[in-house]
Amino acid sequence: MRAGCVPALNSEVLYHKIIREICEKYGKDYTKDLQTRMTGTTDREICVTVVDLLKLPISVDEFEKQLTDLAQKLLPSAPLLKGAKRLLTHLHDYKVPMALATNSTEQAVRLHALSRPKLFGMFHHKVSVTDPEVKHGKPKPDIYLVAASRFPDKPKPIKCLVFEDSVVGVEAAIKAGMQVVMTPGPRLQREHTRHATLVIKSLLDFKPELFGLPPFDKTLNKATEITNK
């Protein structure tokens, strides 16, 4: 079994904060419903949709520039998802190959990696939406298929386990023929989670043995995990 994608950072929170600040500057409201719709999509898709739907008085390119500039300052401080450090460390210790497959740009991934080199060094490889071999971002399956092809033994998609927190990510994983564990946000309606192989509240609730992976050490106290470093 390969861990095709393990979400480590809660960067979505920061992205939504940045987008909201830009929109408020022009007197527009970046609503909760629109935030949910944008979760997991590419930066470019976010810019196009927000500028169009909210009728912002700036171009898509200008919105993207402002988003990128602010993201460069804030992304390195993105908090870890609960259970991410525990899961990544566990799989790495048991030599389970992992890859990062994300709709974020290569530049954004590099910023994260620079701020947490040890954590991001656990991935065998990283595939971003701006990778030359990725023709389409999620919800298309390209990112996951490229990620799987770069493991040394090139596993079949069904042998890859994906961890996702967005609807478009789950859709991409399913289209790629992979199993997917979803940790949906609290506002996401249940109908949007039904295609996932398994749905859990957080990565702290994941049981590796359900997918043929080594179980967590039972002596590990989940409550003591440091999730923000």
Side-chain angles (χ1 to χ4, degrees), residues 17 57 93 102 110 157 209:
K17 178 182 178 181
D93 287 348
T102 175
R110 191 181 303 114
E209 60 270 26

Side-chain angles (χ1 to χ4, degrees), residues 22-206:
I22 297 174
C23 292
E24 288 176 349
K25 185 164 62 174
Y26 299 101
K28 303 295 183 177
D29 182 22
Y30 182 55
T31 65
K32 292 290 186 181
D33 288 340
L34 187 52
Q35 287 182 37
T36 300
R37 178 175 171 181
M38 293 296 95
T39 298
T41 58
T42 66
D43 289 3
R44 187 65 181 181
E45 288 172 327
I46 289 173
C47 296
V48 170
T49 302
V50 172
V51 169
D52 179 56
L53 290 182
L54 298 185
K55 307 300 181 185
L56 293 179
I58 56 175
S59 67
V60 173
D61 288 341
E62 173 59 25
F63 188 97
E64 187 170 23
K65 181 181 183 303
Q66 292 187 39
L67 176 62
T68 300
D69 290 345
L70 287 171
Q72 286 181 342
K73 298 177 182 178
L74 297 177
L75 280 182
S77 64
L80 289 178
L81 290 171
K82 290 182 178 180
K85 181 178 179 181
R86 172 177 177 250
L87 177 57
L88 285 168
T89 301
H90 174 74
L91 296 177
H92 182 262
D93 287 348
Y94 278 93
K95 295 180 171 48
V96 177
M98 298 178 289
L100 178 66
T102 175
N103 254 1
S104 297
T105 64
E106 183 179 355
Q107 182 181 27
V109 172
R110 191 181 303 114
L111 287 171
H112 287 311
L114 286 173
S115 65
R116 291 186 173 91
K118 183 176 180 180
L119 193 73
F120 277 77
M122 294 180 186
F123 293 109
H124 180 272
H125 55 274
K126 308 171 189 67
V127 180
S128 69
V129 72
T130 50
D131 189 288
E133 290 188 38
V134 175
K135 303 304 180 184
H136 304 283
K138 304 172 189 178
K140 299 292 185 181
D142 304 33
I143 289 177
Y144 287 123
L145 294 175
V146 170
S149 72
R150 291 182 182 173
F151 285 115
D153 58 346
K154 302 185 184 302
K156 293 181 179 179
I158 194 60
K159 294 294 185 180
C160 297
L161 178 62
V162 171
F163 293 84
E164 265 292 352
D165 56 2
S166 70
V167 175
V168 295
V170 171
E171 186 178 342
I174 295 299
K175 287 179 179 177
M178 300 176 180
Q179 301 179 73
V180 55
V181 174
M182 186 181 195
T183 53
R187 290 177 54 83
L188 197 63
Q189 296 180 2
R190 190 171 183 178
E191 64 183 86
H192 295 305
T193 69
R194 58 191 177 90
H195 295 299
T197 310
L198 176 68
V199 179
I200 52 179
K201 289 184 178 180
S202 85
L203 294 176
L204 287 173
D205 298 318
F206 178 63

